[in-house]
Amino acid sequence: MPTRLSIAVDLDYGLPEPADVLLQIAAAALPDQWIESEALDVWSDLPLAAVPGEEGIGQRCWSHAVGRFTARYAATLVVDRLVHPLHRLPPTPVRHLPGPVVGYLMPSRYCPSDKLEGFVRAEFAGLSGGALAAALTEWTARSLRYRPSGSTGTTTALDTFASREGVCRDYAHLLVALARAAEIPARCVAAYAPDVTPPDFHAVAELWLDGGWHLVDATGMASPAEIARICVGRDATDIAFMTVFGTAQLIAQRVRVDRLD
């Protein structure tokens, strides 16, 4: 059943020196989610310049400012997505993967999946395809404790595997790394979703199974049927909501996502 969402974002940062800023906060227009209305206002020294996001999903907006950088995004959108139970999806041999998907089998900066291959082989022997994906998701959800102070911006999936705690980004990184170690293509997704606590930008995983991408939230806070994608990528490097080429100081930030129906 379709879900209508209202999204409101306010960002307020201090920039002590002139800096270029790359924003990814606008929801993506996709076949399973469409925008009814939206507005993005950025107070910047120069006009915005938009470029496509990874895989052509969403957009990145270049800006430039000094002193104060503020941005406001408001949107109403509809999510209408058929969610398939993971455990019922058959495996896809890696040799049959489409070219653009193959890169999501490889280790990346925050998802060093090659370091987890031995664990996956030992812990999940005999499983494949969707059954394996479901088991990896359940293990991640069961093994980690959600703790806002449990990680930093440099925490990798391997660090999270050792500490067994973190925030949504850490859950997504670990699940993506485990899936890649299991020869299941996986990517990170920046998203909006209701019921996320505390309200903020959310990070989830997408796994490639049976010829398509399937959203998975190992934190259990968001239903795949209600997640609105912003952008996708290898890990947090690609999906950060704001990348500052310089220094920035947080003044205030607010993200609110509400169901309308």
Side-chain angles (χ1 to χ4, degrees):
M1 185 173 182
T3 301
R4 291 180 73 237
L5 298 176
S6 170
I7 298 166
V9 178
D10 287 284
L11 305 178
D12 191 355
Y13 282 78
L15 302 178
E17 299 177 351
D20 290 318
V21 179
L22 188 60
L23 279 181
Q24 292 190 109
I25 62 174
L30 296 165
D32 59 0
Q33 60 181 62
W34 58 89
I35 314 296
E36 289 188 345
S37 65
E38 67 176 343
L40 173 62
D41 297 308
V42 178
W43 286 263
S44 168
D45 291 348
L46 298 174
L48 292 181
V51 295
E54 295 291 318
E55 301 288 318
I57 295 175
Q59 67 175 11
R60 294 173 165 133
C61 291
W62 281 106
S63 181
H64 182 88
V66 62
R68 197 75 172 264
F69 177 83
T70 59
R72 178 172 297 160
Y73 176 70
T76 300
L77 61 84
V78 178
V79 180
D80 190 4
R81 178 179 302 122
L82 180 62
V83 177
H84 301 274
L86 285 183
H87 67 277
R88 296 181 182 175
L89 299 174
T92 301
V94 292
R95 66 183 181 278
H96 294 160
L97 293 173
V101 174
V102 172
Y104 292 110
L105 283 172
M106 311 305 177
S108 60
R109 176 181 176 184
Y110 292 108
C111 300
S113 51
D114 53 322
K115 307 297 184 183
L116 294 168
E117 290 174 358
F119 169 76
V120 169
R121 283 195 296 267
E123 188 75 13
F124 302 95
L127 296 176
S128 64
L132 176 53
L136 295 172
T137 302
E138 292 165 5
W139 184 92
T140 303
R142 181 178 69 251
S143 301
L144 299 189
R145 178 175 61 141
Y146 194 94
R147 185 165 173 257
S149 60
S151 64
T152 69
T154 61
T155 299
T156 69
L158 201 59
D159 297 327
T160 303
F161 181 78
S163 70
R164 303 296 169 92
E165 62 183 19
V167 293
C168 60
R169 153 189 158 134
D170 305 302
Y171 280 73
H173 278 161
L174 183 53
L175 178 55
V176 164
L178 290 170
R180 292 176 186 171
E183 299 185 358
I184 297 172
R187 64 189 186 188
C188 291
V189 181
Y192 294 115
D195 302 329
V196 171
T197 305
D200 206 343
F201 297 102
H202 199 41
V204 298
E206 265 192 319
L207 310 183
W208 179 272
L209 293 160
D210 194 28
W213 290 106
H214 299 268
L215 286 161
V216 182
D217 182 8
T219 71
M221 287 192 285
S223 164
E226 297 183 321
I227 291 172
R229 300 182 198 87
I230 301 170
C231 56
V232 304
R234 297 163 297 172
D235 53 34
T237 305
D238 296 332
I239 68 170
F241 72 89
M242 187 171 78
T243 303
V244 179
F245 293 83
T247 58
Q249 300 165 342
L250 172 64
I251 297 172
Q253 178 171 305
R254 182 180 74 97
V255 178
R256 180 168 178 168
V257 182
D258 296 308
R259 296 181 188 86
L260 293 177
D261 298 330

